[in-house]
Amino acid sequence: MIYGIISDIHGNLEALLSVQKYLESHRVEKVICLGDIVGYGANPRECIKVVKKISQIILAGNHDFAVCGKTLIEDFNPYAKEAVLWSREVLNEEELIFLGNLPFKYEEDDTIFVHSSLHRPEAWRYLFDPVDTYKDFQIMEKNTLFVGHTHVPIIFEDDGIKVKMLNSPDLYLSPNNKYIINPGSVGQPRDRDPRASFIIYNSKERNIKRIRVEYNIKEAQRKIREAGLPEILATRLEYGG
């Protein structure tokens, strides 16, 4: 199976459409969205529509649940909180119900998919370094776990002795090791590369390729400003931070 793994779109329609174009022009058999369709960007409704069209599996992200009231926003930074409240006003009842019914986890063959972490996914934990992944690797009953949430593309490899961080855009996954793989963010990358980030995963060949695509950043910024959302949500798109 050839998967397209996308995550953290965050209402950025321009980025999502560029990713959609790539996925449709390649031999992708199943698209899995790891969550956070909404939040930050100015096109939550349009992004929900596109994600539903192109994805066979869609998981819940913390911003998705925050917008529909299933996750508290007290710990969100002021900009994220403002975007959540704005999105609540923009989305209709059907869209809010859709977000609220998204599952935390999906499993297929030897692979698990979640938004934040396998250990207590409802707590929206961040996996930034090997220490953060300890509990997840302990409870993994399959070899491969895909996560989003941090907006930073990274691979953690557990060979049974230690956990290493890998930053390879093209990697063969050893059947003897376990992996936690973050595809990065479609709509708001935070690795100093403003291009949309996602992964193509060939499960038969056990190979992953990280893909980066350009999109119309200026148009996404214009929409954010026109909507009256915080300026930082527009400016950060320029530098992927």
Side-chain angles (χ1 to χ4, degrees), residues 1-238:
M1 179 75 73
I2 299 177
Y3 297 88
I5 314 296
I6 64 175
S7 190
D8 298 280
I9 294 99
H10 285 295
N12 188 335
L13 181 62
E14 283 65 40
L16 179 58
L17 291 177
S18 288
V19 171
Q20 178 188 12
K21 182 178 180 181
Y22 183 97
L23 293 173
E24 290 178 347
S25 66
H26 290 71
R27 295 187 305 113
V28 175
E29 299 170 85
K30 180 177 284 190
V31 176
I32 296 182
C33 175
L34 303 181
D36 274 358
I37 305 170
V38 302
Y40 300 129
N43 288 111
R45 299 193 70 185
E46 295 84 352
C47 286
I48 289 173
K49 184 177 180 179
V50 173
V51 168
K52 289 171 72 173
K53 177 184 177 182
I54 68 174
S55 305
Q56 284 70 47
I57 302 296
I58 306 171
L59 303 180
N62 57 313
H63 285 255
D64 302 322
F65 270 18
V67 166
C68 66
K70 291 188 70 172
T71 286
L72 299 177
I73 61 174
E74 280 74 8
D75 293 333
F76 279 43
N77 68 57
Y79 316 113
K81 188 181 297 184
E82 187 172 341
V84 164
L85 296 175
W86 178 87
S87 297
R88 282 181 186 172
E89 297 299 317
V90 171
L91 298 178
N92 62 33
E93 183 178 2
E94 180 182 346
E95 291 158 344
L96 292 171
I97 291 172
F98 163 74
L99 293 177
N101 286 332
L102 293 174
F104 281 114
K105 182 176 68 171
Y106 174 71
E107 299 187 26
E108 185 169 312
D109 299 328
D110 69 341
T111 309
I112 311 169
F113 305 86
V114 296
H115 177 67
S116 58
S117 67
L118 184 59
H119 173 65
R120 297 180 63 223
E122 75 285 353
W124 310 117
R125 298 172 55 245
Y126 289 93
L127 306 184
F128 280 117
D129 57 48
V131 174
D132 298 329
T133 67
Y134 175 73
K135 291 182 178 178
D136 289 72
F137 276 124
Q138 272 196 321
I139 64 174
M140 278 176 62
E141 296 180 352
K142 299 178 184 288
N143 281 12
T144 309
L145 171 65
F146 284 95
V147 303
H149 197 41
T150 67
H151 298 210
V152 178
I154 197 69
I155 301 165
F156 299 98
E157 181 184 50
D158 182 0
D159 62 4
I161 299 174
K162 65 179 179 178
V163 176
K164 296 182 291 185
M165 291 177 65
L166 309 175
N167 195 25
S168 174
D170 190 338
L171 184 69
Y172 167 75
L173 305 182
S174 169
N176 300 317
N177 299 340
K178 289 184 176 182
Y179 297 87
I180 297 176
I181 302 164
N182 193 316
S185 172
V186 169
Q188 196 188 91
R190 294 180 184 167
D191 61 335
R192 303 299 173 181
D193 184 338
R195 296 175 298 168
S197 179
F198 59 102
I199 276 178
I200 301 297
Y201 171 48
N202 186 322
S203 61
K204 182 179 180 180
E205 297 180 2
R206 297 192 57 79
N207 185 73
I208 64 164
K209 290 182 182 292
R210 186 193 309 149
I211 311 297
R212 306 301 290 247
V213 295
E214 305 275 358
Y215 72 93
N216 191 341
I217 292 175
K218 291 190 180 300
E219 178 63 9
Q221 291 175 315
R222 182 193 68 77
K223 290 180 177 179
I224 289 171
R225 290 170 178 136
E226 189 174 89
L229 289 162
E231 173 63 23
I232 190 174
L233 301 181
T235 56
R236 72 190 309 173
L237 296 180
E238 295 179 13

